[in-house]
Amino acid sequence: MVQEQRSEQQAVSQIVVFQLENEYYGADISVVREVVPLQRVTRVPRTPPYVEGVINLRGRVIPVIDLRRRLGLPAGHTTKSTRIAVAEVGGDQVGMIVDAVEEVVRVPADAVEPPSSLMAQLDRDAVLGVAKVDSRLITLLDLRRILVREDRKSPVTPHSR
Amino acid sequence: MGSGFEISAEDIRVFLDEAEELLQSMEAGFLRLEAQGGDPETIQEIFRAAHTLKGSSATLGHQRMAELTHAMENVLDKLRKGKIAVTTELVNTLFQCLDILKEFKDEIASGEPAEVDTTDMMRRLAAFEPQGAAGSPPPVPGPGPEQPSPPQALPPLTPAQREQVKGASARGLQAYWADIALSEEAAMPAVRAFQALLAVGELGEIVLSVPTQEDVENDRIGKDLKILFLTRESVEAVAKALEQVPEITVRVLAPYRLDGGAPAPGPVAEAHAPAAPQPEPAVSVEHPEGADGGAHAPAAAQGNNVPFKMSKGSLRTVRVDVEVLDNLMNTVGELVIERTRLQQVLSRLETEREGDELSQVMSSALAQIGRLTGSLQEEIQRARMLPVDNLFRKFPRMMRDLAQRAGKEIHFVMKGEETELDRSVIEEIGDPLMHLLRNAVDHGIETPEERIAAGKPRAGTVTLEAFHEENHIIISVRDDGRGVDPEKVRASAVRKGLLSEEAARRMPDAEAINLIWMPGFSTAERVSDISGRGVGLDVVQKNIEKINGSVEIRSTRGQGTEFRVKLPLTLAIIRALQVELLGTIYCIPLGSVVETDRIPTTEIRTVRQREVIVKRGQVIPLLRLADVFGLARPEGDEEPEEIFVVIVAVMGRQVGLVVDSLIGEGDVVIKPLGRFIGEIPGISGATIMGDGDVAIILDVPTLVGSVQEEVGRLEPALN
């Protein structure tokens, strides 16, 4: 029974689609909690470059990362459609700055292909696969990997002086 | 009310809360017992605690706990009656029982079985019996008749009880009576009887029981129990409830009728009662314990028509999860932010409409909301406060054990237990205080011989005191021991390579004493099992600083040492100075701010490549926050003619933090940066400002520490 449910979930997943650098990316809707307009981000010193800072999300202070930087894409500009997609991984909320949030699509499992070597520019570990939906290619991101600090073992470099 | 005997999570919580209190009162009692001998009041108090715990653990179905408390109760009863005396052996045994009970409590809390064997303890407790009956299970309490007593009918009802039964049907209640046999194998028939009474009491009201509830509680029971009770429930429901009680057999469970004054249970014996024996006609009931209980019987039977209920504490208080309070606090925080937004709308209205009536109404409403949110915040804050007693009361026992192990005599004094602190501060401060107390026992207080040789009283005194001081709470740990010897500290620091010999010699005594806070420092010449846990005072200091507190040492050789822990009233809110640096607001906890100043750049000097200023003859190193945090200044930014300096102090060390501008001061609610960002040296958290923006809270001790380290590194080079 449980098995069945699981395979059903795998069969069709709900994906939040957003844009980065004119390409489509997606993340499982169960991980993306909400999408909020871009707001003032307070810089936090001594954090990795891709960490933009922290924002006030209804009374909670949550970190925000620049997803472009995190994925190694060229830096972008803030536009009217820039959004913060808030994901929750392991009980921690983390905001990601994206160019635009498109929609939520249903993706059947057979429409997903494993990450290909074509996407060399992306950290292959961060990608679950590529989904083809209505002639669009959506790169499915593994937020559980992306939103974990890979520098954890070496604490943030102390100040140099 | 359910028919069964289910234990809900709520029941367990109530039990745990109650058990915690009872265990603490036992512990306090044992300590008094040891210190002052057995005054009747103390013994009675401990006895009552053990007794109540027996009852509630039995109710919960924790047999081993019930058995142990029962055995303790027996010993305490002997003590109460003067049959045995207070000895160290006895107190030690009782303390060990307490430890086992704590494990049982944890077992109930966590659901993980405790690896405890009580048989040895039971045997030791039994050995305290005056007759020295050292058998395996505790002796069957109550010198009841040896052969199964013949089923006895109920005693004649008093007029009041008759009225109670008569009026039952009018209240929709039905009268029943039950005859219950207590198994001969039952190690604690009294507990089983108690459980049976509880089970029945839960379902209705007990008119009378033989033996009475009081007798049951005091272990005066025989081999059976008879209960006359009123209930709304069916016979089946009652039977089911009784089935949950182990080691009893329900012989009769049947409706009860008032037949012309004589209780006539016989004729209506029910199918439900397996093998119901013929109850005899009313006979006056003989109390199992005979002589002295006989006179007592009628009164006891009467005193029973109070509904059987366990006290569950005052109804004026409720227990609330701290998380609920945190959420409330967050919600209020949001409210404040929304208010600020409205305020902005108002100021636009005021300019656009030139202060017409509408904007005036809004202005006064906003002011009112401001006051309301303020008091809401205050009230929630108050709800988080707990007296430090919650923390302190675990220490007397610890001190007793420590002193005993160290072979020292210590008089432990606690003061100001009623002082209130935020719950989260209390949680964080327990370990550091424990270490300071250990330290006092281990390093502070001398052995009795040394003390006498020094002309001091044999027993040393360790005082733990909490009190208010301005916006802080001070917790002082002081002893009248040998004090810290600056010479020894210097020597030790040099030996451990923490300091050059030259630097040590130059260091004044007051500063030398503070070397004890250095990582890797410990004056203990031999490792004892008390302080030698590998945790030094540096860790104590760090933990205290982590909650925005500070700790100082004052010591006089030969006279004693005092550690003063200064704590914020709350962890959640601090008063902070707000400063601006490159467009970001930073908050500096006001507790560490000495003063702020504007200083012309021409007054900045350089000593060993470090910028310093001189104030009142004191050299204060400067720390440019922008450099510390690696923040780049926009190009073309000119060096201003004046700099803003916030002078902060930690442990007497002053450092000037250079910022762009000063904004003001106010209360800020500390929020964690979260696990993703993790710990950042120099930053302790964040807060949300009135306009909704996030500000960063500085960790002053770490910042000041970094300067000290640097100076420390420079020192050898100079020598």
Side-chain angles (χ1 to χ4, degrees), chain B residues 308-321:
Chain B
F308 197 96
K309 267 258 143 145
M310 287 191 40
S311 101
K312 292 204 169 159
S314 159
L315 288 175
R316 300 245 326 134
T317 58
V318 288
R319 288 176 192 273
V320 180
D321 198 320

Side-chain angles (χ1 to χ4, degrees), chain A residues 54-55 59-63, chain B residues 326 330 571-572 669-678 683-688 694-695 697:
Chain A
V54 288
I55 58 163
R60 285 185 69 167
V61 174
I62 68 161
Chain B
D326 286 344
N330 280 340
L571 281 193
V669 179
I670 303 176
K671 311 237 172 201
L673 282 169
R675 270 184 298 178
F676 184 80
I677 296 217
I683 292 173
S684 62
T687 187
I688 294 170
V694 180
I697 301 173

